Amino acid sequence: RVALARAPIMRPKLLLADEPTGNLDTASGKVVLELLDDLNDEGLTLVVVTHNPTVARHADRILVLVDGRLTKRLRRDQVKEVITLLGDEEGNSR
């Protein structure tokens, strides 16, 4: 959380976040997602890498990579397709 709080101090235009909730419990993950949403609402562009469908739901645009290749470009209204690709919140593949 401290690193995330420091990240916008210099007012960057872009923040890269690689699995920002990857090693967090559910409650802490929600706090991080709220912070990222707030930063985005303030105009910060975020590029977030995730395997977590809950995190993917927060995105405006989603790029799906398979074996390092771009396989799909999706908008927020297509997020259900991403959830199917990533699996449900319990980590089960569909």
Side-chain angles (χ1 to χ4, degrees):
R1 211 164 128 175
V2 172
L4 186 59
R6 281 190 303 218
I9 288 176
M10 298 301 291
R11 303 269 186 223
K13 294 181 181 184
L14 175 69
L15 179 67
L16 304 176
D18 185 6
E19 295 286 358
T21 62
N23 292 318
L24 302 177
D25 60 80
T26 303
S28 297
K30 285 182 182 179
V31 171
V32 168
L33 290 175
E34 287 172 8
L35 288 170
L36 290 174
D37 284 342
D38 290 346
L39 291 169
N40 186 246
D41 289 344
E42 292 172 10
L44 181 64
T45 298
L46 299 168
V47 175
V48 180
V49 176
T50 189
H51 293 91
N52 185 329
T54 301
V55 175
R57 284 190 180 102
H58 288 256
D60 291 326
R61 285 175 274 176
I62 300 166
L63 303 176
V64 179
L65 299 174
V66 176
D67 296 330
R69 304 184 106 197
L70 181 63
T71 60
K72 291 198 180 281
R73 295 174 194 232
L74 304 166
R75 298 176 311 275
R76 177 177 281 189
D77 62 334
Q78 297 170 302
V79 75
K80 288 182 182 179
E81 184 176 349
V82 172
I83 302 308
T84 300
L85 291 170
L86 294 176
D88 63 27
E89 291 183 43
E90 288 77 39
N92 300 316
S93 295
R94 294 186 184 180

